[in-house]
Amino acid sequence: MKTVRTATELPRADSLGLVPTMGAFHDGHLSLFRAAREENELVVVSLFVNPAQFAPGEDLDRYPRDEERDAALADDSGVDVLFIPDADEIYPPGFQTWVEVEELGSILEGEHRPGHFRGVATVCLKLFNLVRPDRAYFGQKDAQQAAVIRRMARDLAVPVDIRVCPTVRDEDGLALSSRNAYLSPEEREAALALPRALEARDRSLLNGLPVDYFEEADFEPRVLAAAVRVGRTRLIDNVVLEGERP
Ligand code: AMP
């Protein structure tokens, strides 16, 4: 595996799969790398902790970072190129062009994290233009993000096939997330209420955790999505409702 820091070093291929990430890899990320590996000649993983998708006061500064560990995990999963751009490569001096997915980007997560999806859509379009993938891989764990990116690709005729892979969970049901690293053992136990409540479609099982939302949304597929706070940590998760009556 090659690590590159500028777009000019990125190789081209007849079929190229891109997995955009913010690093701190876990099995959820690795499942996307493997899916990309199966369907493409060349697999590029981008690692960029995108300041534009964090609101002031969020966890940008303490977001877990470990490039060396991530490079070893990506290498083991068959990734060809790890692209770790500097902020200047993504946001050159004078940057002022943003992608706003108006409706899908303003509900649920968008309502609670103003500007979040503007940052996500913009960085993804920028990465698509730099890497020029045939396919890009996202996790169902972030169902609204996948819906926003799919909408953007359709609306702006971005020539990329958006692939969405199932949520990977720990054995006890907690969805894997880089932010799980913030949880104390007691908080991790309390966090299990989130997958349990979603699985049972029963908000009362959240056991008094502060809730940002617990709502159905049609993100193709339709999901029941929730965001809760466990101590200082904000967790999101969802279950697919396909086949269930709306
Ligand atoms: P992140 O590094 O958190 O921005 O995530 C990079 C990609 O991995 C996104 O498309 C996420 O939806 C996906 N992802 C994160 N956690 C999981 C998980 N538990 N299962 C499947 N995909 C995931």
Side-chain angles (χ1 to χ4, degrees):
M1 191 189 71
K2 208 168 106 180
T3 297
V4 307
R5 289 176 198 276
T6 60
T8 50
E9 298 168 82
L10 285 166
R12 302 269 165 238
D14 283 341
S15 83
L16 198 160
L18 169 67
V19 187
T21 81
M22 300 204 300
F25 296 155
H26 50 64
D27 281 341
H29 296 107
L30 305 192
S31 75
L32 302 184
F33 303 167
R34 286 192 287 265
R37 180 71 286 161
E38 277 174 25
E39 296 179 334
N40 301 276
E41 191 181 304
L42 197 86
V43 176
V44 176
V45 168
S46 62
L47 194 176
F48 181 63
V49 183
N50 176 30
Q53 69 189 68
F54 290 79
E58 290 187 353
D59 57 342
L60 173 63
D61 293 335
R62 62 179 188 130
Y63 198 82
R65 291 169 171 85
D66 190 344
E67 252 182 56
E68 219 170 290
R69 176 178 174 276
D70 284 349
L73 287 170
D75 197 4
D76 286 347
S77 307
V79 172
D80 297 302
V81 180
L82 183 60
F83 176 40
I84 312 183
D86 288 335
D88 266 11
E89 179 98 29
I90 303 295
Y91 302 111
F95 187 92
Q96 52 187 290
T97 308
W98 299 95
V99 181
E100 192 92 51
V101 180
E102 290 185 344
E103 278 177 43
L104 266 177
S106 61
I107 59 172
L108 301 181
E109 279 298 281
E111 195 182 331
H112 291 272
R113 303 185 68 190
H116 173 67
F117 287 118
R118 177 173 109 140
V120 168
T122 303
V123 80
C124 285
L125 183 59
K126 181 79 185 234
L127 289 166
F128 294 166
N129 284 332
L130 291 173
V131 179
R132 292 196 252 155
D134 299 285
R135 302 178 189 85
Y137 295 80
F138 294 87
Q140 178 64 25
K141 157 78 167 43
D142 300 281
Q144 189 173 2
Q145 169 171 276
V148 162
I149 300 301
R150 208 188 285 119
R151 188 72 251 168
M152 173 191 71
R154 277 184 203 152
D155 286 353
L156 301 182
V158 185
V160 60
D161 184 6
I162 304 301
R163 316 285 270 183
V164 181
C165 301
T167 301
V168 178
R169 298 177 180 281
D170 258 336
E171 277 177 20
D172 58 11
L174 190 66
L176 298 183
S177 164
S178 306
R179 292 189 166 96
N180 293 352
Y182 301 148
L183 300 171
S184 69
E186 297 74 29
E187 286 173 338
R188 202 188 174 294
E189 191 56 35
L192 290 177
L194 176 57
R196 287 175 186 157
L198 286 168
E199 200 49 50
R201 327 286 192 247
D202 182 354
R203 182 184 174 126
S204 72
L205 296 183
L206 290 174
N207 292 335
L209 290 175
V211 184
D212 279 355
Y213 58 83
F214 187 89
E215 272 176 47
E216 287 189 24
D218 194 2
F219 291 146
E220 297 176 40
R222 193 169 183 81
V223 297
L224 174 61
V228 300
R229 285 168 202 279
V230 185
R232 285 175 68 202
T233 305
R234 187 172 179 282
L235 298 176
I236 64 169
D237 195 357
N238 68 89
V239 285
V240 174
L241 299 177
E242 213 165 46
E244 295 181 26
R245 221 177 268 276

